[in-house]
Coordinates of all heavy atoms in Angstrom, one line a residue:
G265 N -0.6 -9.9 10.5 CA 0.9 -9.9 10.6 C 1.4 -11.2 10.1 O 2.5 -11.3 9.4
R266 N 0.8 -12.3 10.5 CA 1.3 -13.7 10.2 C 1.3 -13.8 8.6 O 2.2 -14.4 8.1 CB 0.4 -14.7 10.8 CG 0.4 -14.8 12.3 CD 1.0 -16.1 12.8 NE 1.0 -16.0 14.2 CZ 2.1 -15.6 14.9 NH1 3.2 -15.3 14.3 NH2 2.1 -15.6 16.2
E267 N 0.2 -13.4 8.0 CA 0.1 -13.5 6.5 C 1.2 -12.6 5.9 O 1.8 -13.1 4.9 CB -1.3 -13.1 6.1 CG -1.5 -13.3 4.6 CD -2.9 -12.9 4.1 OE1 -3.8 -12.5 4.9 OE2 -3.1 -13.0 2.9
A268 N 1.5 -11.5 6.5 CA 2.5 -10.6 5.9 C 3.9 -11.4 6.0 O 4.6 -11.3 5.0 CB 2.6 -9.3 6.7
L269 N 4.2 -12.0 7.1 CA 5.4 -12.8 7.2 C 5.5 -13.9 6.2 O 6.6 -14.1 5.6 CB 5.6 -13.3 8.6 CG 5.7 -12.3 9.7 CD1 5.6 -13.0 11.1 CD2 7.0 -11.5 9.6
E270 N 4.4 -14.6 5.9 CA 4.4 -15.6 4.9 C 4.7 -15.1 3.5 O 5.4 -15.6 2.7 CB 3.0 -16.4 4.9 CG 2.8 -17.2 6.2 CD 1.4 -17.7 6.3 OE1 0.6 -17.5 5.4 OE2 1.1 -18.2 7.4
K271 N 4.0 -13.9 3.2 CA 4.2 -13.3 1.9 C 5.6 -12.8 1.7 O 6.1 -12.9 0.6 CB 3.1 -12.3 1.7 CG 1.7 -12.9 1.6 CD 0.7 -12.1 0.9 CE -0.6 -12.9 0.9 NZ -1.5 -12.5 0.0
I272 N 6.2 -12.3 2.7 CA 7.5 -11.7 2.6 C 8.5 -12.9 2.3 O 9.5 -12.7 1.6 CB 8.0 -11.0 3.9 CG1 7.3 -9.6 3.9 CG2 9.5 -10.8 4.0 CD1 7.8 -8.6 3.0
E273 N 8.3 -14.0 2.9 CA 9.2 -15.2 2.6 C 9.1 -15.7 1.2 O 10.0 -16.3 0.7 CB 8.9 -16.3 3.7 CG 9.4 -15.9 5.0 CD 9.2 -17.0 6.1 OE1 8.4 -17.9 5.8 OE2 9.8 -16.9 7.1
S274 N 7.9 -15.5 0.5 CA 7.7 -16.1 -0.8 C 7.9 -15.1 -1.9 O 7.9 -15.5 -3.1 CB 6.3 -16.7 -0.9 OG 5.3 -15.7 -0.7
K275 N 8.0 -13.8 -1.6 CA 8.1 -12.8 -2.7 C 8.9 -11.6 -2.2 O 8.9 -11.2 -1.0 CB 6.7 -12.3 -3.1 CG 6.7 -11.4 -4.3 CD 5.2 -11.1 -4.7 CE 5.3 -10.1 -5.9 NZ 4.0 -9.8 -6.4
N276 N 9.6 -10.9 -3.1 CA 10.3 -9.7 -2.8 C 9.4 -8.5 -3.0 O 8.7 -8.4 -4.0 CB 11.6 -9.5 -3.7 CG 12.6 -10.5 -3.4 OD1 12.8 -11.0 -2.2 ND2 13.4 -10.9 -4.3
F277 N 9.5 -7.6 -2.1 CA 8.7 -6.4 -2.1 C 9.6 -5.2 -2.0 O 10.7 -5.3 -1.3 CB 7.6 -6.3 -1.0 CG 6.6 -7.3 -1.2 CD1 6.7 -8.6 -0.5 CD2 5.5 -7.1 -2.0 CE1 5.7 -9.5 -0.6 CE2 4.5 -8.1 -2.1 CZ 4.6 -9.3 -1.5
D278 N 9.2 -4.1 -2.7 CA 10.0 -2.9 -2.6 C 9.8 -2.1 -1.3 O 10.8 -1.5 -0.8 CB 9.7 -2.0 -3.8 CG 10.1 -2.6 -5.1 OD1 11.4 -2.8 -5.3 OD2 9.2 -3.0 -5.9
F279 N 8.6 -2.2 -0.7 CA 8.4 -1.7 0.6 C 7.0 -2.2 1.1 O 6.3 -2.9 0.4 CB 8.4 -0.1 0.6 CG 7.3 0.6 -0.1 CD1 6.2 1.0 0.6 CD2 7.3 0.8 -1.5 CE1 5.1 1.7 0.0 CE2 6.3 1.4 -2.1 CZ 5.2 1.9 -1.4
V280 N 6.7 -1.9 2.3 CA 5.5 -2.4 3.0 C 4.8 -1.2 3.6 O 5.4 -0.4 4.3 CB 5.9 -3.4 4.1 CG1 4.6 -3.9 4.9 CG2 6.6 -4.6 3.5
F281 N 3.4 -1.2 3.4 CA 2.6 -0.3 4.2 C 2.0 -1.2 5.3 O 1.4 -2.2 5.0 CB 1.4 0.2 3.3 CG 1.7 1.5 2.6 CD1 1.6 1.6 1.3 CD2 2.2 2.6 3.3 CE1 1.9 2.8 0.6 CE2 2.5 3.8 2.7 CZ 2.3 3.9 1.3
M282 N 2.1 -0.8 6.6 CA 1.7 -1.6 7.7 C 0.8 -0.9 8.6 O 1.1 0.2 9.1 CB 3.0 -2.0 8.5 CG 2.8 -2.8 9.7 SD 2.4 -4.5 9.4 CE 3.9 -5.0 8.6
D283 N -0.4 -1.5 8.7 CA -1.4 -1.0 9.7 C -0.8 -1.1 11.1 O -0.1 -2.1 11.4 CB -2.7 -1.7 9.5 CG -3.8 -1.2 10.5 OD1 -3.8 0.0 10.8 OD2 -4.7 -2.0 10.9
H284 N -1.2 -0.2 12.0 CA -0.7 -0.3 13.3 C -1.5 -1.2 14.2 O -0.9 -2.1 14.9 CB -0.7 1.1 13.9 CG -0.3 1.2 15.3 ND1 -1.1 1.9 16.3 CD2 0.7 0.7 16.0 CE1 -0.5 1.8 17.5 NE2 0.6 1.0 17.3
M285 N -2.8 -1.1 14.2 CA -3.7 -1.8 15.1 C -4.3 -3.0 14.4 O -5.2 -2.9 13.6 CB -4.8 -0.9 15.6 CG -4.3 0.3 16.3 SD -3.6 0.0 17.9 CE -5.0 -0.3 18.9
M286 N -3.7 -4.2 14.7 CA -4.2 -5.5 14.2 C -4.3 -6.5 15.3 O -3.5 -6.4 16.2 CB -3.3 -6.0 13.1 CG -3.3 -5.1 11.8 SD -2.3 -5.8 10.5 CE -0.6 -5.8 11.2
P287 N -5.3 -7.4 15.2 CA -5.4 -8.5 16.2 C -4.2 -9.4 16.1 O -3.5 -9.4 15.1 CB -6.7 -9.2 16.0 CG -7.0 -8.8 14.5 CD -6.3 -7.5 14.2

Side-chain angles (χ1 to χ4, degrees):
R266 296 243 178 267
E267 186 179 357
L269 294 171
E270 291 169 7
K271 293 201 177 199
I272 285 286
E273 288 182 343
S274 64
K275 184 175 180 178
N276 289 331
F277 294 96
D278 295 291
F279 71 98
V280 176
F281 272 126
M282 179 75 61
D283 183 30
H284 174 230
M285 302 291 282
M286 295 185 292

